[in-house]
Amino acid sequence: MNLSRNLLRSAVVYGGRIPPLLRSYSTSPTTSHRNLISLADLTIPELDTLLQRASHFKKTYKQHILASGAIDHSLQDKTIAMIFSKRSTRTRVASESSTALLGGHPMFLAPSDIQLGVNESLYDSALVISSMVDGIMARVGAHEEIELLAKHAKVPVINALSSRYHPTQILADLLTMLENAAGPGAPLPSLSVLAGLKLAWVGDSNNILNDILVSFPRLGISVNVAAPEGDAYAPDSVVFDTMRKGLAAEPSGLPQGIVEWTHNPYDAVRDADFIATDTWISMGDEDSKSQRLKDFQGFQVTEALANKGGAKPDWKFLHCLPRKAEEVDDEVFYGPRSLVFPEAENRKWTIMACLEKLYKQYKDQGFQILGFPCNQFASQDPENDEGINNFCQLNYGVSFPIMAKSDVNGAKANEVFKFLKHEKPGMLGLEGIKWNFTKFLVDKHGKVVERYSPTTKPDSIAKDVEKLLKQ
């Protein structure tokens, strides 16, 4: 029983196919919140869920572009401050339009709009701005700036770019890679389909590469890096330490990618499924432009480079944008191998999923939902686990975990449901579950607090959830 209590801690467990939550729950602000500074902050299941949610937003928007209420306004009455100390096209457009689609108000704050950096410190700005808004997206210079902002802000902070990491770009890359694996119109597969693939990075050792390194190897994707020789292009020791810790924390037995570092682009692209690059002269590197262009001679991504190096026949190309011709030629950039424009659009949908994730207030306070599909009631769930999971995500926008299909009654009943039914029988003391959508509410100590009938709607459970969260 102790095992079951640990498994069920702070969960509402559903027997049967999962109905959509009919509204976004909201509570008073709390002092505890999560920030997104790099993809190292997210577990693989969280990454998977976020990308599935981004795909759901994208498909919903394109199918119901004029339908009012097609996308839940989870940011209703929320203001998101967007502090951009560096100019941006994709991140700014994606952030503002995403916030608006979720019903929130985007407040863009450029250097010329506020006192930050003039006669007000970042610390002061963090305290003042976060006292008036509900979340912050920040595009900064030095990575220390985003860390300081996240440390002192009273609301969630999303890193929209710093000198060390660029998580929203790599989320867009992963969504694009999953779409490429699925094919046109197919349901988005899980991240596990990317295990065993190889990405070749031909370019600068920068923030884009850094976020790739702390995420891709954990997903089983190998990364071959080709960067010029010299200290300016050397691996970031902090990033490599974070990468190693992340890999060590993953369960044993799961596939892990290998990272290789070279100075030869031809070696890097060998057997590559994807070839990626980025600007060679980042903002702040303009003074060293002439030297950098010399250092990167031979690094332009071309068909000739890929063929001579031995990339996979169907390799695809990725780029953060904006692009300069010396980084990749027109044949690749505008050709059939290029995924750069879907990649750019996907910045919007992944940022949108990030914003929604940070505002699942109940979840931030420890609330969780687990869904258990069951085929014991009129054979409603004949599909396999993957089919059921895709159905829930595509048709209902479900973003909470869907467990393996289980029996809830009989000799083969899942141990979880044996425990739930014993602790909280139904009417007349009968333990059997009568139909899909039976729900159980469990507190943080593993105690089964309440059992709800199949017809009980999620809205009517809200008061019980709020009461438990305040205890």
Side-chain angles (χ1 to χ4, degrees):
M1 287 301 181
N2 288 335
L3 174 61
S4 295
R5 288 183 184 275
N6 288 332
L7 285 172
L8 295 171
R9 186 166 296 160
S10 301
V12 173
V13 184
Y14 289 81
R17 179 157 283 165
I18 316 302
L21 290 181
L22 299 182
R23 66 182 175 90
S24 296
Y25 295 119
S26 63
T27 61
S28 57
T30 65
T31 55
S32 62
H33 56 261
R34 292 185 66 186
N35 303 304
L36 179 58
I37 305 304
S38 81
L39 293 195
D41 296 330
L42 299 178
T43 65
I44 292 176
E46 286 177 322
L47 272 170
D48 221 342
T49 299
L50 191 150
L51 291 167
Q52 292 290 341
R53 193 62 175 156
S55 178
H56 166 74
F57 282 140
K58 184 176 183 178
K59 291 177 180 178
T60 300
Y61 180 79
K62 291 181 180 297
Q63 292 170 3
H64 308 284
I65 189 168
L66 299 179
S68 176
I71 292 177
D72 184 35
H73 283 183
S74 55
L75 293 186
Q76 186 70 46
D77 301 322
K78 305 284 188 182
T79 299
I80 308 299
M82 296 172 183
I83 305 173
F84 279 40
S85 61
K86 289 191 171 186
R87 64 184 180 271
S88 167
T89 299
R90 280 147 299 282
T91 307
R92 177 177 178 178
V93 175
S95 301
E96 291 199 35
S97 59
S98 295
T99 303
L101 266 178
L102 291 170
H105 172 64
M107 180 185 291
F108 186 77
L109 302 174
S112 59
D113 297 326
I114 54 179
Q115 295 293 336
L116 176 61
V118 180
N119 53 13
E120 190 168 278
S121 69
L122 182 59
Y123 173 79
D124 294 347
S125 296
L127 296 179
V128 171
I129 295 172
S130 68
S131 70
M132 302 179 186
V133 301
D134 302 287
I136 296 173
M137 288 200 69
R139 187 175 176 91
V140 300
H143 185 69
E144 292 74 19
E145 295 176 10
I146 196 73
E147 289 183 325
L148 190 150
L149 185 61
K151 179 179 179 180
H152 297 292
K154 303 171 185 176
V155 296
V157 173
I158 296 175
N159 180 10
L161 177 143
S162 70
S163 61
R164 177 164 285 150
Y165 291 119
H166 197 352
T168 60
Q169 174 59 45
I170 307 311
L171 285 171
D173 291 357
L174 286 170
L175 180 56
T176 307
M177 293 165 73
L178 287 174
E179 290 174 339
N180 180 71
L188 195 77
S190 71
L191 282 168
S192 61
V193 304
L194 301 181
L197 297 182
K198 182 180 289 186
L199 178 136
W201 177 267
V202 181
D204 195 9
S205 175
N206 63 10
N207 51 7
I208 305 289
L209 173 61
N210 290 343
D211 241 312
I212 286 174
L213 292 173
V214 298
S215 55
F216 280 31
R218 288 192 294 144
L219 301 172
I221 306 170
S222 293
V223 181
N224 283 12
V225 180
E229 296 185 56
D231 293 343
Y233 313 107
D236 186 321
S237 60
V238 173
V239 171
F240 264 69
D241 184 56
T242 301
M243 178 188 72
R244 293 189 185 101
K245 289 178 179 177
L247 287 169
E250 294 298 331
S252 60
L254 294 180
Q256 294 188 346
I258 297 171
V259 175
E260 296 184 4
W261 199 282
T262 180
H263 306 304
N264 188 329
Y266 296 101
D267 291 341
V269 302
R270 185 176 300 117
D271 296 324
D273 299 279
F274 294 89
I275 300 177
T277 191
D278 186 32
T279 180
W280 298 342
I281 299 97
S282 299
M283 285 180 276
D285 292 331
E286 289 84 0
D287 292 343
S288 58
K289 179 177 179 179
S290 59
Q291 181 60 50
R292 281 178 164 266
L293 290 176
K294 292 179 182 178
D295 294 341
F296 279 101
Q297 287 183 5
F299 276 71
Q300 185 188 47
V301 177
T302 63
E303 285 284 352
L305 170 66
N307 291 336
K308 184 176 179 179
K312 295 280 182 65
D314 58 348
W315 67 272
K316 299 296 182 182
F317 177 72
L318 299 169
H319 195 293
C320 173
L321 299 182
R323 162 258 188 178
K324 300 180 182 67
E326 62 264 19
E327 300 151 7
V328 53
D329 69 3
D330 286 353
E331 181 184 12
V332 171
F333 186 78
Y334 291 109
R337 298 191 185 279
S338 179
L339 299 176
V340 294
F341 295 109
E343 183 185 4
E345 180 194 348
N346 282 339
R347 189 86 68 87
K348 172 173 180 170
W349 307 114
T350 51
I351 285 177
M352 193 167 171
C354 289
L355 288 166
E356 186 202 44
K357 177 180 174 60
L358 292 183
Y359 282 93
K360 293 292 185 182
Q361 294 283 355
Y362 277 5
K363 187 174 182 180
D364 287 348
Q365 298 177 54
F367 176 72
Q368 180 59 280
I369 296 173
L370 303 179
F372 288 78
C374 178
N375 197 39
Q376 289 185 298
F377 305 100
S379 299
Q380 288 186 334
D381 283 320
E383 306 100 316
N384 60 22
D385 290 342
E386 183 178 0
I388 293 171
N389 195 36
N390 289 334
F391 178 92
C392 292
Q393 290 164 351
L394 293 175
N395 290 277
Y396 294 117
V398 167
S399 59
F400 47 80
I402 304 296
M403 315 304 284
K405 187 162 62 173
S406 304
D407 283 357
V408 298
N409 293 324
K412 297 182 179 179
N414 188 315
E415 290 295 325
V416 170
F417 280 86
K418 290 180 181 179
F419 167 73
L420 290 169
K421 294 187 296 181
H422 176 75
E423 294 294 304
K424 189 62 65 172
M427 293 181 63
L428 304 177
L430 299 176
E431 293 187 4
I433 292 177
K434 297 180 179 180
W435 201 257
N436 283 336
F437 309 128
T438 296
K439 298 165 277 290
F440 294 87
L441 180 61
V442 184
D443 71 12
K444 63 183 179 182
H445 303 294
K447 179 182 178 182
V448 185
V449 176
E450 192 54 82
R451 173 173 175 157
Y452 303 94
S453 73
T455 58
T456 302
K457 294 182 178 181
D459 275 358
S460 61
I461 302 174
K463 61 182 185 301
D464 296 336
V465 174
E466 290 172 353
K467 182 178 178 181
L468 285 181
L469 289 173
K470 292 176 182 178
Q471 292 179 358

